[in-house]
Amino acid sequence: MGDTGFFATLIARVAASLPEHGLYPLLICTFIAGMARGFSGFGAALILIPVGGSIVGPKIISPVLLVIDTIAAAGMLPAAWRAANRREVFTMASGALIGVPLGTAALALADPLILRWAITIVATLLLMLLVSGWRYHGQPRAPLTAGVGGIAGIFSGAAQLGGPPVVAYWLSGVNDAPVIRSNLMLYFAISSALTAVTYLVGGLFVETVFALTLVILPLYAGGLCIGSRLFGLAKPSTFRIICYMLIGASAVLGMPALDALLR
């Protein structure tokens, strides 16, 4: 009887935490975001944060994505650890150690509208850099790698949008697609751990976050599994094009001017 009462209370809390509008678009975007993450190693935030932020707000959807991604992507870490260039990843993570707390402070204190416009502009500039054909030749330098990690950490802490700076940097290097994907998987696992600590300190893990997590986690995990399988079928050129498209999508969907359409 006690268990029945517990689950009834849990269901009631979950139902009360669901958005009054936009639930189905949120569920669809969650599944697509999982596919993007499983395929490319990043991209979930580029799809889910703009849409989810317009429905439940950035202070809810950012912690939700952190929780569901940490749980769903855990099984992919052993393979990523083996294939990644771990020296580059840990150098990148050293920059995130500084950037993530700054981004979390921005999420908690800054004007969300200004923050979203800033992310949109930077994502657009990064896409232009990638499409221009510029490439960084040679071995990545540690200070530059750490600097990119710092910028990505700020974006991760602020809106779970740390993908574009990291992808722009590693796609411009000499690593092939499997190594890039593994680097991203391992880096974001470390970045997520840092972000979780700062979110906890900042009081962002409220009850609504965990209630919404229970609803959308299965869809995200399913999309992640499908995306991982699709990666093995893709050519390197296809991998890069899809990464470009994800960054472009983040620049468009992240525009506050489109909020009325996303609601």
Side-chain angles (χ1 to χ4, degrees), residues 35 38-39 76 181 223-234:
M35 289 184 62
F39 177 82
M76 304 172 70
R181 181 174 176 271
L224 192 76
C225 181
I226 293 174
S228 298
R229 294 180 181 277
L230 291 176
F231 173 75
L233 304 176

Side-chain angles (χ1 to χ4, degrees), residues 42-50 58 60-67 69-70 100 103-104 107 115 119 152-164 188 191-196 198-199 205:
F42 84 109
L46 301 183
I47 295 170
L48 186 57
I49 292 296
I60 296 297
I61 198 62
S62 292
V64 166
L65 178 58
L66 176 65
V67 174
D69 188 69
T70 299
V100 166
T104 301
L107 176 63
L115 184 63
I119 292 173
I154 292 174
F155 285 5
S156 292
Q160 293 297 296
L161 285 170
F188 285 122
S191 175
S192 293
L194 297 174
T195 304
T198 59
Y199 278 15
F205 286 126

Side-chain angles (χ1 to χ4, degrees), residues 118-199:
I119 292 173
T120 296
I121 292 170
V122 172
T124 301
L125 293 175
L126 287 170
L127 179 61
M128 293 172 62
L129 176 66
L130 288 171
V131 175
S132 71
W134 180 85
R135 293 290 180 271
Y136 175 76
H137 298 287
Q139 294 298 319
R141 298 180 182 276
L144 179 59
T145 303
V148 173
I151 295 172
I154 292 174
F155 285 5
S156 292
Q160 293 297 296
L161 285 170
V166 177
V167 174
Y169 182 64
W170 271 330
L171 279 183
S172 297
V174 297
N175 292 322
D176 57 16
V179 173
I180 293 173
R181 181 174 176 271
S182 296
N183 282 359
L184 291 169
M185 289 285 184
L186 184 57
Y187 167 76
F188 285 122
I190 299 171
S191 175
S192 293
L194 297 174
T195 304
V197 173
T198 59
Y199 278 15

Side-chain angles (χ1 to χ4, degrees), residues 18-117:
L18 294 178
E20 296 180 358
H21 65 275
L23 177 60
Y24 292 113
L26 180 61
L27 295 176
I28 293 171
C29 285
T30 297
F31 179 74
I32 296 174
M35 289 184 62
R37 176 77 158 97
F39 177 82
S40 67
F42 84 109
L46 301 183
I47 295 170
L48 186 57
I49 292 296
V51 178
S54 70
I55 295 172
V56 298
K59 290 186 179 181
I60 296 297
I61 198 62
S62 292
V64 166
L65 178 58
L66 176 65
V67 174
I68 64 175
D69 188 69
T70 299
I71 295 173
M76 304 172 70
L77 287 180
W81 175 267
R82 292 190 296 269
N85 184 327
R86 292 192 290 273
R87 182 175 180 179
E88 283 189 24
V89 171
F90 283 110
T91 301
M92 184 83 71
S94 69
L97 187 63
I98 298 174
V100 166
L102 295 177
T104 301
L107 176 63
L109 303 174
D111 184 333
L113 187 63
I114 295 176
L115 184 63
R116 289 173 60 198
W117 274 118

